[in-house]
Amino acid sequence: MNPPDEGAADELPGVAPRLRELRRGRGLTLETAAQRAGLSPAHLSRLETGRRQPSLPMLLGLARIYGTTVSELLGEKPPERDAIIRGGAFEGAEADGWMYRRAGSPGRAMQALRVRVPYGAQGDLVRVHPGEEWLYVVGGRLRVALGETVHDLDPGDSAHFDSLTPHRIAALDRGGAELLFVHSLLQSPAAELCLGNALHAR
């Protein structure tokens, strides 16, 4: 169940204006940006005004469209790129009950995050997009749906899949689940081969 719009802006006060500034800076209309992100213009408008909070799939899609990273959308802008990311208490940004903490340097081909997934179903199905995703369950149990196939993962289990596969994730334990999550914009050779064969067959 999605949370109500009222009061949602308190969770991520900086994301809404950044989304609006990035869209305008790229010269995109609300309608064009929404279409590319697989959202309705009304939904994107609510994200930009802070009346709705973006899920991880939305953040990934909008970051790709605007040529930035999820970490930067969440306001995590370290002064310089650092090869070492120190651990510590999980103090990250929160959106729609999900918590995110940067686990990699910005400006890389891969985006690495620590993610806390709340209990219950994910509200939005990830749209089909180029790239690869890898996740590793650190704590709790996770349900991963890849297309029509559902997998239940325990701590220590991982999943690695092409983002062209529609996917959904949800925590099975009431305490939620914690993940290491890596997303790359680069398509895997296997997916490129399948896509090439499909185009050739037309």
Side-chain angles (χ1 to χ4, degrees):
M1 175 180 293
N2 289 327
D5 290 346
E6 292 78 4
D10 293 338
E11 297 178 11
L12 276 175
V15 170
R18 275 195 295 274
L19 291 178
R20 187 185 305 109
E21 291 169 5
L22 283 169
R23 176 178 60 77
R24 292 176 176 174
R26 301 302 186 271
L28 298 174
T29 65
L30 190 70
E31 291 73 16
T32 300
Q35 182 180 21
R36 293 182 182 180
L39 303 171
S40 69
H43 197 145
L44 181 55
S45 176
R46 287 193 290 270
L47 295 178
E48 291 187 355
T49 55
R51 288 183 290 134
R52 285 293 302 274
Q53 294 299 320
S55 63
L56 178 59
M58 291 180 189
L59 289 171
L60 286 169
L62 292 170
R64 283 190 299 274
I65 291 168
Y66 299 148
T68 185
T69 65
V70 171
S71 295
E72 289 171 343
L73 282 181
L74 295 173
E76 298 182 4
K77 296 184 179 180
E80 61 185 34
R81 180 180 293 179
D82 193 347
I84 306 302
I85 309 298
R86 299 294 182 184
F90 200 118
E91 297 177 353
E94 182 176 352
D96 203 16
W98 295 53
M99 291 191 67
Y100 311 94
R101 179 176 178 177
R102 183 173 62 89
S105 298
R108 301 286 190 182
M110 295 187 300
Q111 296 184 48
L113 298 168
R114 285 174 61 188
V115 181
R116 276 191 179 167
V117 182
Y119 173 70
Q122 178 180 310
D124 299 281
L125 185 67
V126 178
R127 274 62 176 180
V128 173
H129 56 81
E132 290 187 57
E133 296 184 26
W134 175 87
L135 60 86
Y136 176 88
V137 183
V138 176
R141 294 182 304 135
L142 192 75
R143 174 161 292 169
V144 179
L146 300 174
E148 300 298 323
T149 306
V150 176
H151 308 270
D152 291 345
L153 306 184
D154 295 316
D157 291 340
S158 60
H160 188 179
F161 51 90
D162 292 303
S163 301
L164 289 173
T165 303
H167 45 287
R168 180 191 299 266
I169 64 176
L172 295 176
D173 296 333
R174 293 195 174 276
E178 184 172 340
L179 319 174
L180 294 177
F181 175 86
V182 177
H183 175 261
S184 171
L185 295 179
L186 300 177
Q187 195 61 49
S188 71
E192 289 179 348
L193 178 60
C194 291
L195 182 59
N197 289 340
L199 294 174
H200 181 72
R202 290 184 177 182

